[in-house]
Amino acid sequence: MTALTLSTAAAPGLRADAIVIGVGKGGKGPVVAPGADAVDKAYDGRLAGVLETLGASGAEGEITKLPAPAGFKAPLVLAVGLGAEPEEGEEYGAEALRRAAGVAARALTGAKKAAFALPLADAADAGAIAEGALLGAYSFDAYKGGAKDAKGKAPLGEVALLGGKPRDKEYKAAVERALAVTEELNRARDLINTPPNDLDPEAFAAVAQTAAKEHGIKVEVLDEKALEKGGYGGILGVGAGSAAGPRLVKLSYTHADATKHLAFVGKGITYDSGGISLKPAGHNETMKCDMSGAAAVFAAVVAAARLGLAVNVTGWLALAENMPSGSATRPGDVLRMYSGKTVEVLNTDAEGRLVLADALWAASAEKPDAIVDVATLTGAMVLALGSRTFGVMANDEAFRSAIVEAADEVGEPSWPMPLPEHLRKGMDSPTADIANMGERMGGGLVAGLFLREFVGEGITWAHLDIAGPAFNEGGPFGYTPKGGTGSAVRTLVRLAELTAAGDLG
């Protein structure tokens, strides 16, 4: 993990491999952002002109490298675009700082230390820059010959935030929060990126048990026998075709001063072949990521514990591997769920809602103040919102709005989605209480309606469909790497923080 420090040192005298500065996009060319004063002064106040000569515009994510001025101990200045220059009297937003820091950290892969002289007006800015840098420096290297990226370079070793105040309580708290959240988010990324032959339900449960022990979280793991005894027909039905048995993991973080209880439920299909309704070639190569919801829930609970939030948080990880075999669930089979309802399985590739249904009902039994489930649930949501935005559905409009606002605050694009009642009829079954499929059009909304059937009466609930942003198949951008992204972790943590502060519900 990249090290992080707050520094009061001046940029010229700091020993580092590079000085990172920000550049805004002004109406008449690039504008040197606050924090880069010492660098600009060393260029006799002509740094903006030099950058423009080199082709810089200040556009978001743009990188321009130039030799450091005489007298600087760092040999390189790296200018990163922050996007549009703020209006007079305003400052660069937290997300602009996060993205710029992430781009810079990735551009400095292979460097041992970099000094970040980005705009830093307060502790919140320090937290945003720290978060972006630590997420941008992420590299998944477990299967490579050492901690190296695709080009054979190690991630940036250390980030020094210039302008930080090491002895200030607010600055220290902001950086400590950034460290806790990013470390757990990056752990979620590691889990998502781990090949399914090394991360089956049992292995995932073992990771959760180890982390729970380390951070004082109570953990309970239900194996096949316990699931069968308890009547968890959805989880068992999905895992029936695999040699690797399913698991239901319950993580319980409690705080002595808590007055509210949140339950987070994550879909954890460690590999999704589609089962008997087999996915075609071209659609199954990245299906190790189908446990991203469970990874997000796991990371959020651990982060809440590390931050000592005054809220009780229970995480439910519904883990199974969906495989075809002679013992697999067939289209047309009927499963009796943990709630007692029966479900006719029309498509075994609509399996996520089946494991979530059991976990939602288990979570409901504890009567939490709210339940939020997270899942890479439907391709329909990707078609609707693209690859960077997750959909939010809920049985309470105010709660849905609060989640969208929290997601926006932490820089995770989301969009409120409806639960149209007329789509429920499409899941009527002549054989069972409900079918796991309905109308094809609006499939993401149909899935949300299905899940709602398994939420306890009177409990506030929301569903996050992260199928689009959970796994980035394109090139890296901002602080988002290729591969597992850790989508929804920061939104869940923010919801826990707001609840602890009494600002949610």
Side-chain angles (χ1 to χ4, degrees):
M1 183 78 179
T2 301
L4 180 71
T5 57
L6 291 168
S7 177
T8 57
L14 189 68
R15 294 188 181 278
D17 295 302
I19 305 291
V20 176
I21 64 169
V23 184
K25 187 173 184 178
K28 297 181 179 180
V31 179
V32 178
D37 302 6
V39 180
D40 191 26
K41 183 178 179 180
Y43 278 96
D44 298 324
R46 295 180 295 190
L47 180 55
V50 172
L51 288 168
E52 186 171 19
T53 300
L54 292 173
S57 68
E60 180 185 319
E62 180 183 74
I63 287 289
T64 306
K65 297 181 180 180
L66 59 161
F72 276 61
K73 291 185 177 179
L76 176 72
V77 172
L78 187 146
V80 58
L82 289 160
E85 181 186 20
E87 297 292 333
E88 187 175 349
E90 297 184 2
E91 299 172 350
Y92 288 98
E95 183 62 7
L97 297 177
R98 281 191 207 99
R99 291 179 180 178
V103 170
R106 187 169 56 255
L108 290 168
T109 297
K112 293 182 178 180
K113 182 177 181 179
F116 280 57
L118 294 171
L120 204 165
D122 53 26
D125 287 347
I129 296 168
E131 196 174 283
L134 294 172
L135 294 176
Y138 171 81
S139 175
F140 183 66
D141 47 57
Y143 293 83
K144 299 175 184 176
K148 298 178 180 180
D149 72 349
K151 297 181 180 178
K153 297 180 180 180
L156 173 62
E158 181 182 347
V159 171
L161 299 186
L162 301 190
K165 301 176 181 179
R167 297 183 181 179
D168 185 284
K169 289 184 179 180
E170 290 187 1
Y171 277 76
K172 288 174 66 177
V175 168
E176 288 171 1
R177 179 192 182 279
L179 280 168
V181 173
T182 57
E183 285 178 2
E184 296 313 319
L185 192 152
N186 283 337
R187 188 194 331 229
R189 288 173 170 178
D190 282 347
L191 288 168
I192 297 164
N193 289 326
T194 298
N197 57 316
D198 281 345
L199 191 76
D200 60 17
E202 183 179 5
F204 195 148
V207 172
Q209 287 175 304
T210 300
K213 184 177 180 180
E214 179 183 355
H215 297 289
I217 299 168
K218 184 180 178 181
V219 62
E220 180 182 358
V221 179
L222 301 186
D223 60 13
E224 299 101 314
K225 289 183 179 179
L227 290 169
E228 189 170 349
K229 183 177 179 180
Y232 292 86
I235 296 174
L236 287 167
V238 173
S242 174
R247 297 289 187 273
L248 178 62
V249 179
K250 178 185 177 184
L251 299 165
S252 302
Y253 161 68
T254 57
H255 191 283
D257 298 328
T259 59
K260 295 286 186 178
H261 177 199
L262 293 178
F264 297 152
V265 177
K267 172 187 172 182
I269 304 301
T270 57
Y271 180 74
D272 182 19
S273 70
I276 296 296
S277 305
L278 193 67
K279 293 179 184 290
H283 291 78
N284 55 18
E285 291 80 0
T286 60
M287 281 299 103
K288 64 181 181 181
C289 78
D290 214 18
M291 36 60 67
S292 295
V297 167
F298 166 53
V301 175
V302 177
R306 291 182 59 175
L307 294 171
L309 301 181
V311 58
N312 294 335
V313 183
T314 306
W316 299 84
L317 317 182
L319 309 176
E321 185 178 62
N322 188 22
M323 296 290 285
S325 75
S327 60
T329 295
R330 297 158 291 244
D333 283 356
V334 173
L335 303 177
R336 184 170 295 279
M337 311 297 280
Y338 181 58
S339 68
K341 285 187 178 181
T342 54
V343 176
E344 183 181 11
V345 179
L346 299 180
N347 186 329
T348 64
D349 196 21
E351 83 300 327
R353 63 199 72 183
L354 298 175
V355 300
L356 286 173
D358 276 354
L360 283 168
W361 193 255
S364 296
E366 298 190 339
K367 303 294 183 183
D369 293 286
I371 299 175
V372 181
D373 77 70
V374 188
T376 47
L377 204 61
T378 65
M381 197 58 62
V382 185
L383 290 173
L385 299 178
S387 62
R388 297 190 184 184
T389 304
F390 61 75
V392 183
M393 286 156 266
N395 60 3
D396 181 286
E397 286 193 18
F399 189 52
R400 184 184 66 182
S401 296
I403 291 175
V404 171
E405 289 172 11
D408 181 66
E409 184 181 348
V410 299
E412 294 197 306
S414 69
W415 197 258
M417 301 294 283
L419 290 172
E421 293 297 336
H422 72 274
L423 291 177
R424 169 61 183 84
K425 185 173 178 59
M427 290 184 284
D428 286 348
S429 166
T431 308
D433 294 322
I434 191 172
N436 77 329
M437 292 291 288
E439 293 183 31
R440 182 166 176 262
M441 299 302 167
L445 313 181
V446 170
L449 287 165
F450 179 91
L451 295 177
R452 191 183 64 178
E453 297 278 325
F454 298 89
V455 177
E457 186 175 353
I459 298 176
T460 301
W461 156 79
H463 162 56
L464 312 186
D465 190 337
I466 62 170
F471 196 83
N472 176 25
E473 295 187 59
F477 59 93
Y479 48 81
T480 302
K482 185 179 179 66
T485 66
S487 177
V489 172
R490 291 179 296 143
T491 297
L492 294 180
V493 172
R494 189 63 188 136
L495 287 174
E497 288 176 325
L498 291 169
T499 303
D503 296 331
L504 188 69

